[in-house]
Amino acid sequence: LFKMPNRDRVQYVAMDMWTPYRDAVEAVLPDARIVIDKFHVGRMANDAMEKARKGLRSELTPKQKRGLMHDRFVLLKRERDLTDEERLNLDGWIKNYPALGEAYRLKEGFYGIYDAESPDDAYQCYKQWYRAIAPEMHGYFAELTRAWGNWQPYILNYFEHPVTNAYTERSNTLIRVK
């Protein structure tokens, strides 16, 4: 970063939640606003959904376990993007396993925070979402809620400056593939 030309002109830095990145940017680019990439935060909501799915496995028969493994992508997919067949599939899991449905509802609700139009609105949406977490669900969503608490100002910066590091992430993927 010290060798970067025109670093005094950098206004925003999108990053994931890694303290050394934040510390480096704050030291070298003190006037830049740090924005936590929304995709990294969203991935944590999906990770919580996966923990809930895996937690359910102990209650299932081997055949049901295979079915749930096969259907895990339906649980990770956003509700608005589900096909009719996927929606029916999801409905079956949710009706038979209410805890799975609750985890899915929480995941979707968390993604809904990113529909907010301001940092204050997003903060209020988060507080409402957090209050809706049933005690038995807290363990699944603990990493996400802890990250929000630790990185809140930087996460909320997204709602004023909606930048992501998608371009860099895509470039890194292409480099790994080649």
Side-chain angles (χ1 to χ4, degrees):
L1 286 177
F2 278 117
K3 295 179 183 179
M4 186 174 76
N6 302 314
R7 70 175 194 257
D8 59 314
R9 295 176 54 200
V10 174
Q11 296 177 3
Y12 314 107
V13 177
M15 67 174 62
D16 62 12
M17 294 171 277
W18 196 48
T19 304
Y21 286 164
R22 184 200 59 205
D23 293 347
V25 169
E26 288 178 341
V28 180
L29 306 168
D31 296 328
R33 293 284 294 274
I34 295 172
V35 178
I36 298 301
D37 187 297
K38 75 176 192 172
F39 298 106
H40 287 274
V41 183
R43 184 174 62 218
M44 294 182 85
N46 272 345
D47 291 346
M49 181 71 242
E50 269 292 276
K51 286 179 186 170
R53 181 188 68 81
K54 289 176 180 178
L56 171 66
R57 287 188 304 197
S58 65
E59 302 173 25
L60 303 177
T61 67
K63 183 178 179 181
Q64 289 171 318
K65 286 179 186 179
R66 283 190 301 278
L68 186 56
M69 178 64 166
H70 179 265
D71 294 339
R72 72 184 182 281
F73 297 110
V74 172
L75 296 167
L76 298 176
K77 199 170 186 182
R78 294 294 313 273
E79 186 174 23
R80 66 177 183 228
D81 298 329
L82 292 172
T83 65
D84 289 341
E85 182 180 340
E86 291 168 334
R87 201 174 299 278
L88 186 62
N89 198 351
L90 176 66
D91 191 52
W93 283 110
I94 288 172
K95 283 182 179 170
N96 289 308
Y97 302 96
L100 201 58
E102 179 64 12
Y104 188 81
R105 185 189 65 75
L106 287 167
K107 175 198 66 112
E108 287 295 302
F110 185 83
Y111 275 110
I113 294 169
Y114 279 89
D115 294 333
E117 296 186 13
S118 72
D120 289 337
D121 193 23
Y123 178 70
Q124 293 306 317
C125 289
Y126 175 81
K127 284 188 353 184
Q128 183 177 357
W129 174 84
Y130 183 82
R131 284 192 302 268
I133 301 173
E136 62 273 10
M137 291 286 130
H138 273 283
Y140 299 131
F141 288 87
E143 287 182 38
L144 175 58
T145 58
R146 185 173 33 257
W148 182 281
N150 292 338
W151 293 87
Q152 179 184 309
Y154 308 105
I155 292 170
L156 291 175
N157 280 343
Y158 173 83
F159 297 92
E160 283 184 309
H161 312 288
V163 296
T164 70
N165 62 355
Y167 177 81
T168 303
E169 294 289 341
R170 179 70 179 141
S171 296
N172 289 341
T173 299
L174 289 173
I175 290 168
R176 279 192 295 269
V177 169
K178 290 184 179 186

